[in-house]
Amino acid sequence: MSKIPYEVYTEDVEALTVLSPDGEIINKAKAPDLTDDQLKELMYRMVFTRTWDDRAVNLGRQGRLGFYAPVSGQEATMVGSEFALDKEDFVCPGYRDMPQLVWHGLPLYQAFLYSRGHQHGGQIPEGVNVLMPQIIIGAQVLHAMGIAMGFKLKQQKHVAITYTGDGGSSEGDFYEALNYAGVFNLPVIFFVQNNGYAITTPFAKQTAAKSIAHKAVAAGIRGVKVDGMDVFAVISAVREAAERARNGEGATLIEAVTYRFRPHSLSDDTSKYRTKEEEGQWSEKDPIARLAKYLEKKGLWTEEDTARVKDEAKAKVNEQIKKAEQTEKMTIPGLIDSMFETTPKHLEAQKADFQK
Amino acid sequence: MAQMNMKEAIRDAMRVEMKRDPNVLIFGEDVGHAGGVFRVTEGLQKEFGEQRVIDTPLAESAIGGMAVGLGVQGFRPIAEIQFVGFIFEALDQILVQAARMRYRSGGRYHSPIVFRTPFGGGVKAAELHTDSLEGLIAQTPGIKLVIPSNPYDAKGLLISAIRDNDPVFFMEHLNLYHAFRDEVPEGEYTVELGKANVVREGSDVTILAYGLMVHTAVKAADELEKNGVKAEVIDLRTLVPLDIDTILASVKKTNRVIIVQEAQKSAGIAAEVIAQINEHAILHLEAPVLRVTAPDTVYPFAQIEDQWLPTPARIIEGVNKVLEF
């Protein structure tokens, strides 16, 4: 029997922090082993993602992108968690998780096509192990569970990772997935990005639980909480969860406490539910600035590097949005033919109506 | 050939396909060790092991989501929802996730899943065990819908459904599981999805039906024959895609049609069939196409379901209306 008293479930748990806001390693035991090249690549991806987000918001305002959920502030959780995995591992994203897909191999112009509402955006290239962004909050959590079941049945040592937000942890599907993963001991990582708000609803109105990590208890799986503005803590937790999963030790729920610097979506107004003070406090925890301090001290990064990456990212975004805009237009017959492997007769007849 | 009831024929279809294709998996609540609450999967876990016939925790949405994930992984899941009324818990996974997978990924992924569920009235079951919910499924693009009425069709249609690379919703009428035995071939054979079956030829009126109502319609046709009325009875078998050609051929022969469904009247399969007959064969009709259905109430309490469900007498009444129009 555990020696932990029952009261523990009413108290918060401490989030793992590895890198302090000053850029110092404060938890050597949990610091991920990363080469200099890996550290630079990590920084590159985070700066790139921030720049892409800035550009995407502008492209959205210009009407060159459609549906878009901003990501600024969440670079450590998004880029870091994907960075900790292998290409064979499977990513089941929510609608905000486009960066994980792109860094896992989805071409950026397809991410833009998804935003614009073009079918080719979901035509994931062969060998890129991701699903399309999921709009129904919680559904992707079940898919990751099923995909993990597939890895287990095929005796492949890969893991599935899925992402949802703090609001998503209130869904029935979220709990069902965790519970199945526990019963079947599945190689899956449930990664919750707790940015404190589900659109306008604060975390305290989602649950009386002090942390989302607590919810692992109900499923009998491992739950951990990490500082989501600390990319090292994220990588450390995901690597550990993945290693356990590959060794047959089952699923982990990771709660990463983070913040979105931007609104929920392009049509959301944060001033109605957040204070400037709160936003200011979180911007001091900016995951990119934090990693930059660490890298600068190690002589691996300079402000010029940041400027260079921003320029590269802007050029790449410009090129890829043009490619998206030049993609062949969809047709109704094309949509009809994508419904089934073999188009049934009644749909052939409807197709003919659109070919006149 | 062997004598099988519909339950045994369905089990035999799964056994045949599991032997043939190692990617075929069965899972659901109590399907493994117990062999299902109706013993439809009895013996399969013993034969194929716990890795292929899997008992799940009690959560229908997770059964659906597991099927979608396993479909992405190259498996061919047969997912059982214990009773039809529980599909509501899983509708997102069945009708949104599985049914849209091919479309929303532009063909990159698909869902080669069969969702099996028992349904159907006349057995005095508890609430939400017997509702005819096929209309919900039929109006959702991306999923096929099959309702067999006899052991031979059940086996052949289920084998086709398992081999289909798109999701199929397969509804098994509770009142037909043990109703009668029929000659069913050993081994594999298929009944093509999307093909209706003329179960009784006639020239005066067409009666369209599916599921248990096929048998109710045949009883009505036997009675009608005593009065010199030759009714043609067609078993639709697959509701999506609908075999409009077979329906129209019969309409053009008899010029009078009724459709019988166990489900409530409004906005069901019958409405769709009538609409299509109107679109394609209005000039061949001597009378409007009428529906014989249950009334638009919630599925009745067990004590009164025999009065609620369509009967041969009500079918005969319907036929007389179109004959006397």
Side-chain angles (χ1 to χ4, degrees):
Chain A
M1 289 298 285
S2 167
K3 293 195 179 105
I4 302 170
Y6 72 88
E7 287 89 350
V8 77
Y9 300 123
T10 64
E11 289 170 8
D12 202 354
V13 290
E14 198 182 339
L16 171 70
T17 300
V18 173
L19 190 64
S20 77
D22 306 327
E24 299 289 339
I25 299 278
I26 56 169
N27 187 337
K28 281 211 171 75
K30 292 285 186 186
D33 186 17
L34 296 165
T35 65
D36 287 353
D37 282 347
Q38 283 177 315
L39 286 167
K40 284 193 275 188
E41 175 66 15
L42 191 57
M43 187 65 190
Y44 174 90
R45 291 185 183 190
M46 287 170 69
V47 174
F48 189 110
T49 303
R50 175 72 55 88
T51 311
W52 153 25
D53 192 62
D54 290 342
R55 293 289 301 133
V57 169
N58 284 333
L59 288 166
R61 290 191 181 124
Q62 293 164 21
R64 295 175 74 187
L65 281 182
F67 171 76
Y68 183 73
V71 301
S72 283
Q74 300 188 200
E75 292 87 355
T77 56
M78 291 174 164
V79 175
S81 58
E82 193 284 329
F83 197 82
L85 296 171
D86 298 335
K87 283 291 159 216
E88 293 76 15
D89 297 327
F90 211 110
V91 179
C92 298
Y95 52 76
R96 196 180 302 279
D97 303 306
M98 205 51 107
Q100 295 93 307
L101 302 194
V102 167
W103 296 118
H104 214 58
L106 180 72
L108 190 57
Y109 84 95
Q110 286 189 264
F112 291 154
L113 283 172
Y114 177 83
S115 169
R116 291 165 62 89
H118 191 295
Q119 190 174 35
H120 183 47
Q123 285 178 316
I124 312 296
E126 286 290 334
V128 177
N129 295 310
V130 305
L131 286 181
M132 306 74 75
Q134 179 57 245
I135 294 293
I136 302 300
I137 295 173
Q140 77 278 19
V141 188
L142 287 172
H143 299 162
M145 177 272 288
I147 285 166
M149 172 72 99
F151 283 141
K152 187 179 177 182
L153 291 175
K154 290 193 269 188
Q155 297 181 307
Q156 292 174 335
K157 286 194 176 297
H158 308 314
V159 304
I161 188 167
T162 184
Y163 298 88
T164 191
D166 38 315
S169 71
S170 300
E171 291 280 358
D173 284 351
F174 176 81
Y175 170 69
E176 289 188 21
L178 265 60
N179 189 53
Y180 270 50
V183 168
F184 294 117
N185 195 39
L186 299 179
V188 54
I189 302 169
F190 302 107
F191 195 103
V192 177
Q193 297 172 90
N194 180 356
N195 63 23
Y197 293 91
I199 309 190
T200 67
T201 305
F203 178 58
K205 289 192 175 175
Q206 292 298 336
T207 176
K210 289 292 189 294
S211 87
I212 290 168
H214 277 92
K215 299 193 175 199
V217 175
I221 65 171
R222 195 166 154 268
V224 299
K225 181 173 175 177
V226 302
D227 180 345
M229 305 303 259
D230 171 2
V231 72
F232 288 170
V234 170
I235 291 174
S236 174
V238 174
R239 277 188 174 176
E240 194 178 327
E243 194 180 320
R244 293 174 66 102
R246 293 186 217 285
N247 290 338
E249 292 172 68
T252 302
L253 167 62
I254 299 175
E255 175 187 7
V257 182
T258 180
Y259 201 75
R260 55 175 156 78
F261 293 156
R262 293 188 180 280
H264 161 76
S265 68
L266 299 187
S267 51
D268 171 40
D269 176 7
T270 56
S271 69
K272 290 187 176 142
Y273 59 93
R274 296 201 310 209
T275 62
K276 287 279 166 225
E277 290 78 10
E278 180 186 294
E279 291 181 358
Q281 281 163 11
W282 278 96
S283 68
E284 284 167 20
K285 298 178 183 174
D286 189 326
I288 295 178
R290 197 190 290 201
L291 182 62
K293 282 177 195 164
Y294 175 75
L295 295 183
E296 281 163 14
K297 283 178 201 168
K298 284 183 69 111
L300 292 173
W301 200 264
T302 61
E303 278 182 28
E304 290 73 45
D305 287 323
T306 299
R308 172 183 54 82
V309 176
K310 279 185 180 173
D311 287 345
E312 276 181 39
K314 279 180 201 163
K316 179 87 173 173
V317 166
N318 285 344
E319 172 211 304
Q320 293 284 294
I321 189 72
K322 277 183 198 135
K323 188 167 177 185
E325 288 168 339
Q326 286 159 5
T327 300
E328 199 174 341
K329 288 195 168 67
M330 289 181 292
T331 66
I332 299 297
L335 292 184
I336 287 173
D337 277 338
S338 68
M339 288 300 304
F340 294 100
E341 182 177 47
T342 306
T343 302
K345 228 173 165 177
H346 71 287
L347 275 175
E348 285 290 355
Q350 292 174 29
K351 206 166 98 185
D353 289 342
F354 285 92
Q355 281 168 330
K356 280 170 194 164
Chain B
M1 288 291 221
Q3 288 280 322
M4 291 186 199
N5 62 28
M6 198 171 89
K7 179 185 80 178
E8 291 159 349
I10 289 167
R11 182 196 301 144
D12 199 45
M14 290 191 275
R15 181 186 287 121
V16 164
E17 286 305 285
M18 291 195 84
K19 272 189 184 168
R20 195 181 71 89
D21 182 349
N23 288 318
V24 177
L25 305 174
I26 294 173
F27 50 85
E29 295 156 11
D30 310 298
V31 300
H33 181 70
V37 289
F38 295 105
R39 306 290 176 260
V40 178
T41 52
E42 192 162 55
L44 296 180
Q45 190 182 64
K46 209 171 176 190
E47 187 173 349
F48 296 101
E50 290 180 15
Q51 300 279 303
R52 296 191 61 198
V53 183
I54 305 164
D55 280 319
T56 64
L58 202 164
E60 288 77 15
S61 189
I63 291 171
M66 192 162 102
V68 171
L70 285 166
V72 166
Q73 283 280 34
F75 290 94
R76 306 188 82 82
I78 303 172
E80 181 181 305
I81 304 295
Q82 200 162 62
F83 286 100
V84 70
F86 314 162
I87 68 168
F88 292 103
E89 303 293 323
L91 281 188
D92 176 58
Q93 291 298 333
I94 298 170
L95 298 185
V96 178
Q97 307 301 334
R100 290 178 183 222
M101 183 62 86
R102 184 184 292 281
Y103 177 88
R104 63 190 294 270
S105 71
R108 169 68 169 87
Y109 299 113
H110 61 278
S111 292
I113 304 167
V114 180
F115 294 101
R116 288 183 44 243
T117 195
F119 82 108
V123 294
K124 303 264 186 287
E127 270 190 292
L128 281 161
H129 283 51
T130 47
D131 296 52
S132 290
L133 301 178
E134 62 274 14
L136 287 177
I137 310 295
Q139 72 123 305
T140 304
I143 189 163
K144 296 175 183 173
L145 174 60
V146 176
I147 301 184
S149 69
N150 62 73
Y152 177 89
D153 284 353
K155 180 174 172 183
L157 287 166
L158 184 52
I159 291 176
S160 292
I162 294 167
R163 294 180 187 181
D164 200 283
N165 281 326
D166 290 299
V168 179
F169 200 84
F170 196 88
M171 297 177 72
E172 302 165 7
H173 201 291
L174 283 164
N175 220 337
L176 293 175
Y177 270 152
H178 309 106
F180 59 96
R181 285 175 187 278
D182 221 343
E183 288 291 325
V184 175
E186 313 265 8
E188 57 179 280
Y189 68 91
T190 57
V191 172
E192 192 182 342
L193 303 186
K195 289 275 179 252
N197 185 29
V198 180
V199 296
R200 181 194 170 104
E201 290 203 17
S203 49
D204 297 328
V205 62
T206 300
I207 308 176
L208 303 172
Y210 56 94
L212 180 69
M213 289 301 115
V214 173
H215 303 278
T216 312
V218 168
K219 280 179 198 155
D222 288 343
E223 288 299 311
L224 286 164
E225 180 134 37
K226 291 175 190 166
N227 298 324
V229 175
K230 292 187 174 62
E232 179 148 296
V233 179
I234 295 179
D235 179 357
L236 298 177
R237 294 199 291 202
T238 301
L239 302 175
V240 178
L242 196 64
D243 182 1
I244 193 66
D245 292 346
T246 298
I247 295 169
L248 292 181
S250 184
V251 171
K252 287 171 187 174
K253 179 167 69 168
T254 65
N255 314 113
R256 288 181 168 84
V257 190
I258 64 162
I259 174 157
V260 187
Q261 73 179 18
E262 186 174 324
Q264 294 86 338
K265 191 165 195 171
S266 298
I269 302 293
E272 173 61 26
V273 172
I274 291 169
Q276 291 205 32
I277 292 170
N278 282 341
E279 283 170 23
H280 298 292
I282 191 110
L283 296 178
H284 294 274
L285 291 175
E286 295 289 346
V289 183
L290 297 185
R291 287 175 281 184
V292 177
T293 74
D296 282 325
T297 71
V298 170
Y299 193 89
F301 296 97
Q303 291 298 314
I304 199 169
E305 70 179 341
D306 290 342
Q307 292 173 54
W308 189 85
L309 295 165
T311 56
R314 285 181 54 210
I315 295 173
I316 291 166
E317 198 185 324
V319 166
N320 287 335
K321 274 189 196 162
V322 296
L323 288 173
E324 291 157 15
F325 182 79

